[in-house]
Amino acid sequence: NSRNRKNFAKLWSSTRSFASQLGWKVGTGSIVELYLSQSPTSLATDVFVSPAMLNRFLFRVTPGKRKLDEVLTVLKHVAESLRVPTEISETIVRRKEGKVPVVDVTTSLNMVIGETTQSTAEIERRLLEFVGTFLSALNSGH
C-alpha cells in the first residue's frame, strides 16, 4: 500500500546520502526503489535497488565495460562477508542501448532487515549496511 511505500522511502535516507558521498547520482524509482548512476570511481555504471516485493530484495549492478568478471568477484566476496544469505546471478536485460549484462544480488527483505518488527532507525541502519557494503566494494574495487 502507498503509505508503506512512503514510509519506506524515508528508510532510504542514510543509504541515499552514503551513495551520494561515494559519487553516485541518486534517483528514486517508484518510491521504494533506488536508482544509482554515474559514479566515476565505481566498477559499475548503474545500480538499481528494489525491495518492492517482500520475498525478493534485488540489488542489480550494471558493470562498466569489460568489468563483468571483476564485478562478479567483488559482489561474491561481499556476499560471503555479510550475514545475509544471497544469491548472485548474471542475466541480460534489454535497455535503450541494446542487451546489457547485469549481475543480480537477490535476497529477501526479511533477510536484510530482520524478521521481527524493529525501530525505523534500526531498519534504516540495516538497509545502509547491506546496500552500503556492496556499494563501497564496487567503488573501491575489492
Side-chain angles (χ1 to χ4, degrees), residues 17-106:
S17 40
F18 181 76
S20 300
Q21 283 162 14
L22 286 177
W24 288 98
K25 194 165 155 263
V26 183
T28 316
S30 59
I31 305 179
V32 293
E33 298 160 351
L34 283 187
Y35 288 94
L36 307 177
S37 59
Q38 299 166 355
S39 170
T41 57
S42 180
L43 294 171
T45 57
D46 296 273
V47 172
F48 169 67
V49 189
S50 172
M53 291 186 274
L54 204 55
N55 58 354
R56 194 190 72 147
F57 185 100
L58 175 68
F59 181 89
R60 170 169 284 175
V61 179
T62 307
K65 278 195 174 39
R66 291 181 292 284
K67 297 269 200 265
L68 180 63
D69 291 344
E70 227 176 319
V71 165
L72 274 167
T73 306
V74 165
L75 294 178
K76 282 178 180 158
H77 183 72
V78 172
E80 282 162 20
S81 73
L82 288 171
R83 293 181 307 274
V84 179
T86 54
E87 209 172 283
I88 295 181
S89 59
E90 234 178 288
T91 183
I92 301 282
V93 294
R94 289 173 188 280
R95 300 243 170 96
K96 288 194 296 285
E97 64 273 27
K99 293 179 174 178
V100 179
V102 296
V103 181
D104 286 351
V105 179
T106 335

Side-chain angles (χ1 to χ4, degrees), residues 105-126:
V105 179
T106 335
T107 181
S108 74
L109 187 57
N110 279 346
M111 292 291 182
V112 176
I113 64 176
E115 301 274 343
T116 51
T117 315
Q118 303 179 59
S119 69
T120 49
E122 175 63 13
I123 292 174
E124 191 173 335
R125 191 190 66 73
R126 284 178 175 226

